């Protein structure tokens, strides 16, 4: 028996997809690329009773009755037998089933922010996980993803992730059931973003060791934590009332104390619709990023998965001593699509980047960094142009502590947009302080505007007493 009691249309969709290999996907996607209405109509007529069950189930939260399960099992066994050497019907049927499932809707939601398991219960058995696929609020018709020979390119409201494509990582989805990050305009929308490099005088508490596999350095925390905390909170207190859609701090300059203070301030003003990427926290060998939503609600925690490799003053390679895991936390939103939060070196890991862009189909990448260089990050961000990604990057001036020349490369902040009014989709936001960190509040004020599906970026380095 294929389907069991309480199975849903998502279990059915996963099962159909599991009958197709990636080679089958490519083969039949190519063959159906120029199919006319007549060819599609033949399939619809052949499986009209089968597809009618999907529409009937929509009135019952897409759960099947016992009678429907018995019918579907009979049809699926016959279908698998008939299509053993020709899976063309299975490919098209999977597409037609997905088309008959409405968008992920309110009856499925369980709060404003929550962890979202695969929608199908048979994901371990089939090796297929079904998730909602919500497009971002910009035109993705010319994205290279629409040219891929995959089922996901033909699906409308959902996507599949094959377990074999995820290894060695594990994807954890979260869902934010609200809007408000973007401000609507007559011809599109705009989003205000604040990126803060914070300061250049944070002092890291580190522990360097010689191991059998080479030199390592562990960041244990911040020596001048109270000074850093005061600086971060001064900046946050100045930014939060301005109601930025996104406030992003860099890597490493965080602590649980700073995080709790930011949460407390956000709870006092739940009406402010801002997402805050708090400075990451280094403790017990882990580097943890926390994303806060309106009201200070914790959307997700992401532990860094990729250690950095640094070059010391004497030319030695030194590895970040990191207790790294393999979980990649992603946030589904109704405005920015699927958001990933890459912690510094993660963005430069080709396997990690391919997981985000090719497997998980993320639309927005936010990268807080603590790095002496920026060139590799800009090069990687440029790879997001064909997929029409929105990418944000911010570094910290305090990263000069890990630089061989005692300086941090510029720019400290840059934005990559899906398309632009001119040919350049990436914009550097230059700093105006000449590298001299005064007792001023420091951040990059960025306005991203989408007008008639074309993006423009206005960025200013702001310092205020």
């Amino acid at each position: 028996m294929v389907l069991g009691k309480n199975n849903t249309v998502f279990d059915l969709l996963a099962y159909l997809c599991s009958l197709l290999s990636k080679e089958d996907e490519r083969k039949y996607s190519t063959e159906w690329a120029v199919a006319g209405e007549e060819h599609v109509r033949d399939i619809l007529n052949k499986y009209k009773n089968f597809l009618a069950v999907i529409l009937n189930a929509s009135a019952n939260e897409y759960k099947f009755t016992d009678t429907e399960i018995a019918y579907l099992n009979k049809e699926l066994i016959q279908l698998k037998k008939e299509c053993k050497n020709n899976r063309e019907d299975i490919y098209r049927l999977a597409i037609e089933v997905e088309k008959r499932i409405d968008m992920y809707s309110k009856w499925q939601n369980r709060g404003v922010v929550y962890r979202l398991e695969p929608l199908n219960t048979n994901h371990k058995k089939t090796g297929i996980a079904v998730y909602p696929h919500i497009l971002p609020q910009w035109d993705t018709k010319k994205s290279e993803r629409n040219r891929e020979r995959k089922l996901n390119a033909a699906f409308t409201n959902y996507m599949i992730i094959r377990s074999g494509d995820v290894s060695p990582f594990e994807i954890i989805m979260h869902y934010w059931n609200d809007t408000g990050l973007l401000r609507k305009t007559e011809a599109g929308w705009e989003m205000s973003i604040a990126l803060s490099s914070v300061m250049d005088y944070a002092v890291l508490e580190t522990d360097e060791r010689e191991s059998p596999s080479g030199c390592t350095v562990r960041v244990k925390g911040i020596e001048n934590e109270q000074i850093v905390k005061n600086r971060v909170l001064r900046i946050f207190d100045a930014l939060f009332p301005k109601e930025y859609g996104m406030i992003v701090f860099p890597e490493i300059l965080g602590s649980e104390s700073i995080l709790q203070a930011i949460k407390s301030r956000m709870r006092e003003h739940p009406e402010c619709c801002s997402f805050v990427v708090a400075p990451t926290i280094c403790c017990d060998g882990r580097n943890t990023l926390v994303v806060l939503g309106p009201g200070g609600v914790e959307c997700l925690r992401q532990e860094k998965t990729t250690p950095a490799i640094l070059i010391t003053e004497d030319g030695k390679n030194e590895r970040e001593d990191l207790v790294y895991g393999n979980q990649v936390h992603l946030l589904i939103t109704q405005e920015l699509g699927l958001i990933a939060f890459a912690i510094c070196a993660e963005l430069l890991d080709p396997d990690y980047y391919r997981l985000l862009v090719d497997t998980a189909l993320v639309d927005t990448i936010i990268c807080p960094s603590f790095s002496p260089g920026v060139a590799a990050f800009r090069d990687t961000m440029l790879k997001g142009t064909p997929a029409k990604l929105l990418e944000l990057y911010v570094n910290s001036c305090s990263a000069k502590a890990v630089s061989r020349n005692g300086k941090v490369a510029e720019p400290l902040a840059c934005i990559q947009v899906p398309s632009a009014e001119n040919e350049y989709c990436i914009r550097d936001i230059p700093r105006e302080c000449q590298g001299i960190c005064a007792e001023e509040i420091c951040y990059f004020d960025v306005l991203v505007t989408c007008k008639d599906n074309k993006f423009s970026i206005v960025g200013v380095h702001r310092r205020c007493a």
Side-chain angles (χ1 to χ4, degrees):
M1 189 167 70
V2 176
L3 299 176
K5 190 176 181 61
N6 296 324
N7 274 174
T8 69
V9 67
F10 300 110
D11 296 291
L12 172 61
L13 178 62
Y15 175 74
L16 289 172
C17 294
S18 71
L19 297 177
L20 301 167
S21 65
K22 293 173 69 174
E23 290 77 9
D24 291 331
E25 278 193 70
R26 180 174 177 80
K27 175 182 178 180
Y28 296 117
S29 174
T30 301
E31 292 186 6
W32 279 91
V34 295
E37 291 184 11
E38 182 179 350
H39 297 87
V40 176
R41 194 181 305 116
D42 289 342
I43 288 289
L44 297 182
N45 289 334
K46 184 175 181 180
Y47 296 101
K48 61 181 179 180
N49 293 333
F50 188 99
L51 295 172
V53 174
I54 309 302
L55 295 177
N56 291 338
S58 64
N60 188 34
E61 300 183 356
Y62 290 109
K63 295 177 183 176
F64 297 126
T65 65
D66 292 343
T67 302
E68 289 170 337
I69 287 176
Y71 165 76
L72 290 172
N73 279 331
K74 180 181 178 182
E75 290 295 307
L76 289 170
I77 292 172
Q78 185 64 27
L79 178 69
K80 185 177 180 180
K81 185 184 301 183
E82 291 178 354
C83 300
K84 187 174 182 179
N85 299 315
N86 179 12
R87 296 178 174 84
E88 182 177 6
D89 280 12
I90 296 175
Y91 172 83
R92 191 68 217 184
L93 192 56
I95 292 174
E96 296 303 327
V97 167
E98 193 274 342
K99 282 184 177 181
R100 284 157 178 77
I101 312 175
D102 291 334
M103 289 184 66
Y104 189 73
S105 56
K106 291 184 178 179
W107 58 261
Q108 294 159 315
N109 293 335
R110 301 183 301 280
V112 177
V113 179
Y114 55 90
R115 177 167 167 167
L116 181 64
E117 300 295 339
L119 299 176
N120 57 308
T121 61
N122 60 354
H123 54 91
K124 290 184 179 179
K125 183 177 181 181
T126 60
I128 300 283
V130 180
Y131 291 105
H133 186 204
I134 300 176
L135 294 176
Q137 294 297 305
W138 58 82
D139 189 357
T140 59
K141 292 178 182 177
K142 294 186 178 180
S143 167
E144 66 177 4
R145 291 170 177 169
N146 295 324
R147 300 191 295 272
E148 291 181 326
R149 303 304 186 191
K150 297 179 180 179
L151 281 165
N152 281 334
F155 286 171
T156 305
N157 297 321
Y158 297 87
M159 66 178 181
I160 62 169
I161 296 180
R162 296 179 180 272
S163 58
D165 293 341
V166 174
S167 179
F169 300 100
E170 176 189 359
I171 290 178
I172 308 294
M173 291 285 191
H174 303 262
Y175 186 87
W176 184 52
N177 180 32
D178 207 347
T179 59
L181 300 179
L182 311 181
R183 294 192 294 262
K184 297 294 182 181
T185 62
E186 290 185 4
W189 54 265
E190 62 183 22
M191 181 172 69
S192 58
I193 304 166
L195 308 172
S196 180
S197 57
V198 182
M199 63 203 299
D200 74 343
Y201 50 92
V203 180
L204 304 185
E205 183 182 358
T206 60
D207 181 18
E208 296 187 12
R209 296 181 182 181
E210 280 280 355
S211 72
S213 57
C215 299
T216 66
V217 58
R218 171 171 291 190
V219 179
K220 300 168 65 178
I222 308 169
E223 285 190 8
N224 54 342
E225 181 180 335
Q226 190 60 48
I227 293 174
V228 175
K229 178 179 179 179
N230 293 341
R231 176 80 167 182
V232 170
L233 295 182
R234 278 185 61 201
I235 294 171
F236 180 80
D237 288 342
L239 297 180
F240 191 52
K242 299 179 185 294
E243 298 189 13
Y244 285 94
M246 193 80 68
I247 299 174
V248 185
F249 289 100
E251 183 190 17
I252 289 180
L253 303 186
S255 66
E256 282 293 339
S257 176
I258 293 173
L259 177 65
Q260 294 306 318
I262 293 176
K263 282 184 177 181
S264 178
R265 286 158 164 77
M266 295 181 74
R267 290 191 190 107
E268 294 175 1
H269 298 280
E271 73 281 1
C272 292
C273 191
S274 296
F275 264 69
V276 177
V277 181
T280 73
I281 303 168
C282 288
C283 183
D284 298 328
R286 290 176 168 80
N287 189 342
T288 306
L289 176 146
V290 180
V291 180
L292 302 176
V297 62
E298 193 167 303
C299 298
L300 60 84
R301 281 185 177 238
Q302 165 75 53
E303 290 190 358
K304 192 174 182 181
T305 64
T306 304
I309 305 295
L310 301 171
I311 302 177
T312 62
E313 291 182 11
D314 55 3
K316 287 184 178 180
N317 287 336
E318 194 171 59
R319 174 175 56 82
E320 179 182 7
D321 186 1
L322 186 71
V323 181
Y324 58 90
N326 67 345
Q327 290 188 344
V328 179
H329 292 256
L330 307 174
L331 182 64
I332 302 172
T333 72
Q334 299 174 46
E335 295 171 305
L336 301 181
L338 187 59
I339 307 178
F341 302 88
I343 307 172
C344 201
E346 289 181 326
L347 189 71
L348 306 182
D349 181 342
D351 288 335
Y352 184 94
Y353 191 82
R354 281 191 290 267
L355 173 79
L356 298 186
V357 179
D358 297 337
T359 302
L361 305 181
V362 302
D363 304 289
T364 302
I365 300 177
I366 298 172
C367 180
S369 182
F370 191 96
S371 172
V374 70
F377 292 96
R378 292 184 83 262
D379 289 345
T380 299
M381 290 172 70
L382 285 170
K383 292 193 291 186
T385 304
K388 303 301 179 185
L389 302 188
L390 174 65
E391 299 173 283
L392 315 178
Y393 172 85
V394 64
N395 197 9
S396 173
C397 296
S398 291
K400 67 182 184 181
V402 294
S403 172
R404 283 181 292 171
N405 60 11
K407 298 179 181 179
V408 178
E410 295 191 52
L412 290 168
C414 51
I415 312 288
Q416 162 82 16
V417 293
S419 59
E421 293 177 340
N422 53 44
E423 61 180 310
Y424 301 107
C425 290
I426 194 166
R427 168 73 184 275
D428 299 335
I429 316 297
R431 63 180 179 180
E432 299 177 355
C433 59
Q434 287 77 49
I436 301 173
C437 199
E439 283 296 324
E440 299 171 313
I441 291 171
C442 171
Y443 67 100
F444 298 95
D445 186 330
V446 181
L447 182 66
V448 176
T449 302
C450 181
K451 181 179 180 181
D452 297 326
N453 290 317
K454 287 293 183 181
F455 284 78
S456 62
I457 307 168
V458 177
V460 179
H461 183 196
R462 296 197 184 278
R463 294 172 294 160
C464 53

